[in-house]
């Protein structure tokens, strides 16, 4: 028979078992952490009606989307988790309780040009809080705590949550009389990190129609140094000149004020007045998260406050705040940087039982007992030489092997081999269980990420 | 602005939060149980090259598949998890360790005619063990234990795992000289439950070319009553007349023999000689699982032993055994039958903190403390009247509410209200933590399914 080449499409991440296990641990930590903050899990279809997904329409999205006909239906794969959320909230408005807090971790699809580190299918891990008509600033203040917990539980310590407030920026431009040109100015100051202050100044004056004096002030504003307290003090000088600015500053103050109670250390947080996160959508606090030692990666968790989640579907006013982690890309980056812990247990089982007798009842009963105690147990039944069996255990990377021969069974015992130390002990099944339980719990205590 | 109707496609399950929480618990139990048996999680792309997915080609699959072009690529959504597994094992053969035990829980898509209880997007939850050239019968014997554990952990007790062996059937037909007509005969006896013995007999003689005598014998064979031991004793009379039959009987004996050591009670198991599970694919033990009180639902977990997983991709001989749970359909059926437990905690949080002060630091610090102890905690910050806040707590279904007023904060205490009993107590935060921890653990001890 002629064979078809068993290939996986480029731009689609498909992991070998050890790597997949690391990914699963990350997924589990995200689910767990999001749940701790009172978010409910949501699952929406991968396929939606194209007109629903493209309600906002236009731009890059429309080019990248996977869209197709089935029968008479014009369908498309979701390209993010925000549009499905908007649809869900609008469709189920009467049955939801607001503020509605949901997390969704799922794949999305974008037919981007394939290149290294770019994916056409990738996981997003989103949380959003949606208010009905209004949403208290406390929800914005809580987001840094969630980001902090999530990355800390993953094992990362060297990261910074960067926060800004769009009202502060918009109010500042209002004060400078630049409201009309805010879009161009935002796009320009966003380049500060890349091209430097001098070039930003040149662009502002030459291309955005900003006066030299205002350009100076903008650069002073976005580059103000110091702690969060220093920056808030600096911002205070603009108070009383724009209502939007004053509201934004008060919101920013609230976010900073509650950080200690939320358990977010000062060193993992900073006010960064250059952050805008796009032009149209966000209206209040905006967030980015960068790995301190890998600024080149860009933000690994971003989001912000928006005023209207579902305006394409409903007249209801649904303000919200949310963040998103691009999990597939994060995983890829961590792997490239050798930051995925090698101490983590990635074997499919905690223990492999090698029966040495023809009657397997004893080995099976032991496996049943270990499984009942929560130990991931594999029974090996293949008819192979002892050496081949041990090679299998080695290759799998199981931390423990149990041998069960006639002598052991006769004595009500089993031989436990620690595959890391090479140590072997003959003990009762209860002793084996306890020993393994302790050792495996210890192994599982480590984090996914190592720095 | 004109609004787009926020609709979800028919045939696509999208759950409200409480229901989604029940689904998540089921997913978690499946992941956990599969892992206990030494299966490693796998995740393959939703989209594959059409030629890869359709390597086997033909039939219903080709009509139902979601297939589309993107640029020059002919793509399709996976319609099961077996073809992607075959591709994965063939593509990564050199890097995998055999027997390779994997589970995959993921969505698949089939553009079937939409009807009640039929889904176009649905979860499958599969496990497979793949051998390299050979695979010991122990792997087949272990499957009933996994099915038993899975459904028991979900909370189901009234179910039966039905097992047959294709070699027993094929050997029996060989003994009767009916090997050539085995396909027609299998299709006919599969109807026994639906049309009864008399009509099966008529079809066998009139349409399958089976003699009256052989038809009698076939009906006697497939209808043999009694326990597993009785049926094995009945089958023994055919021994020595066909190698295939003898091998099949020996395999079936092994499966039955090890049930007690695997912890599978006799009442959850039976040999059912009518089960074939299709004509081409399975070659050894085959499995079905039925809910005792709902036979109309059909099998909720099926599978079997096959000889060649990936023959369309590779010359390697890769025998395996696997089962699949159609999770979306199972969930739908449980919901229809009111079998999803109402005692299960489906609120997004274990406790809702209602701050009664302007400064929220105390409430936030308490939330941080409860979260650190693993309690799912929501902070409520909306500016609403007390009654509206309590209505929110009620509607969410949170089991506990904590009030934090100035008096409480001054005394280092908080007021905890049990929303089920209405009881309210003012206690220290440590006492509150302990009280909640115990109560929530108790609530979470229940099963997803109630009978």
């Amino acid at each position: 028979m002629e064979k078809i080449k068993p290939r996986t499409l480029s731009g689609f991440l498909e992991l070998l078992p050890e790597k997949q296990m690391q990914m699963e641990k990350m997924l589990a930590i995200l689910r767990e952490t999001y749940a701790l903050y009172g978010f409910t899990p949501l699952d929406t279809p991968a396929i939606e009606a194209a007109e629903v997904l493209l309600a906002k329409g236009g731009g890059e999205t429309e080019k990248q989307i996977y869209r197709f006909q089935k029968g008479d239906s014009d369908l498309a794969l979701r390209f993010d988790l925000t549009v499905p959320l908007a649809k869900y909230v609008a469709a189920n408005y009467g049955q939801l309780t607001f503020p509605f807090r949901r997390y969704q971790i799922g794949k999305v699809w974008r037919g981007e040009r394939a290149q290294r580190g770019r994916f056409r299918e990738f996981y997003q891990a989103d949380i959003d809080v949606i208010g009905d008509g209004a949403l208290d600033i406390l929800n914005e203040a809580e987001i840094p705590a969630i980001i902090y917990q999530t990355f800390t539980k993953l094992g990362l310590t060297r990261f910074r949550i960067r926060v800004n407030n769009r009202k502060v920026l918009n109010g500042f431009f209002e004060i400078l009389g630049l409201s009309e040109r805010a879009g161009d100015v935002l796009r320009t100051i966003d380049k500060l990190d890349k091209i430097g202050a001098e070039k930003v100044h040149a662009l502002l004056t030459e291309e955005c129609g900003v006066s030299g004096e205002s350009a100076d002030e903008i650069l002073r504003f976005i580059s103000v140094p110091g702690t969060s307290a220093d920056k808030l003090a600096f911002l205070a000088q603009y108070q009383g000149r724009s209502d939007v600015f004053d509201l934004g500053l008060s919101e920013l103050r609230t976010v900073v004020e509650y950080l200690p109670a939320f358990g977010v250390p000062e060193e993992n947080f900073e006010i960064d007045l250059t952050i805008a996160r796009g032009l149209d959508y966000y209206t209040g606090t905006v967030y980015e998260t960068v790995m301190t030692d890998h600024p080149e990666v860009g933000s690994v968790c971003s989001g912000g406050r928006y005023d209207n989640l579902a305006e394409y579907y409903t007249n209801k006013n649904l303000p919200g705040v949310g963040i998103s982690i691009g999990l597939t890309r994060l995983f890829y980056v961590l792997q490239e940087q050798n930051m995925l812990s090698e101490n983590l247990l990635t074997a499919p089982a905690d223990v492999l039982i090698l029966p040495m007798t023809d009657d397997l009842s004893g080995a099976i009963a032991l496996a049943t007992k270990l499984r009942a105690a929560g130990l991931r147990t594999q029974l090996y039944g293949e008819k192979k030489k002892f050496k081949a069996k041990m090679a299998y255990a080695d290759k799998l990377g199981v931390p423990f092997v149990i041998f069960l021969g006639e002598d052991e069974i006769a004595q009500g015992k089993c031989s436990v081999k620690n595959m890391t130390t090479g140590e072997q002990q003959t003990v009762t099944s209860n002793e084996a269980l306890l020993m393994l339980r302790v050792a495996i719990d210890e192994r599982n205590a480590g984090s996914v990420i190592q720095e």
Side-chain angles (χ1 to χ4, degrees), chain A residues 57-92:
Chain A
E60 276 304 291
T61 304
E62 195 131 9
K63 267 180 269 167
Q64 293 179 350
I65 201 168
Y66 286 95
R67 184 174 181 170
F68 50 92
Q69 301 282 319
K70 180 83 184 172
D72 298 334
S73 305
D74 182 9
L75 306 173
L77 296 181
R78 66 183 181 213
F79 54 88
D80 73 4
L81 301 176
T82 305
V83 175
L85 172 65
K87 180 213 72 174
Y88 181 90
V89 173
N92 299 296

Side-chain angles (χ1 to χ4, degrees), chain A residues 247-259:
Chain A
L247 180 55
L249 179 53
S250 141
E251 290 179 356
L252 196 53
R253 275 199 189 114
T254 302
V255 172
V256 172
E257 178 189 347
Y258 288 139
L259 288 172

Side-chain angles (χ1 to χ4, degrees), chain A residues 163-165 168-169 186 189 220-224 231 234-235 252 271-276:
Chain A
V163 165
N164 195 7
N165 189 299
V168 166
L169 286 184
L186 281 174
I189 63 178
R220 210 160 43 235
F221 185 91
I222 60 176
S223 320
V224 58
K231 290 176 186 174
F234 168 85
L235 292 174
L252 196 53
I271 294 176
D272 181 337
L273 296 170
T274 66
I275 294 174

Side-chain angles (χ1 to χ4, degrees), chain A residues 414-429:
Chain A
C414 60
S415 293
V416 182
K417 179 164 184 163
N418 182 325
M419 297 293 282
T420 319
T421 63
E423 214 183 326
Q424 188 171 327
Q425 286 175 270
T426 302
V427 295
T428 67
S429 64

Side-chain angles (χ1 to χ4, degrees), chain A residues 166-231:
Chain A
R166 286 297 297 269
K167 296 188 187 82
V168 166
L169 286 184
N170 292 341
F172 174 63
F173 296 141
E174 193 187 304
I175 291 166
L176 294 187
L178 291 171
S179 290
E180 307 275 289
R181 292 170 216 152
D184 290 340
V185 174
L186 281 174
R187 262 185 292 268
T188 307
I189 63 178
D190 189 44
K191 297 176 186 161
L192 182 65
D193 273 358
K194 274 184 211 135
I195 64 175
E198 209 163 312
K199 283 189 181 152
V200 166
H201 194 281
L203 284 176
L204 285 174
T205 52
E206 289 159 24
E207 295 188 3
C208 306
V210 174
S211 72
E213 207 180 322
S214 288
D216 288 344
E217 186 153 5
I218 291 171
L219 276 164
R220 210 160 43 235
F221 185 91
I222 60 176
S223 320
V224 58
T227 63
S228 296
D230 295 337
K231 290 176 186 174

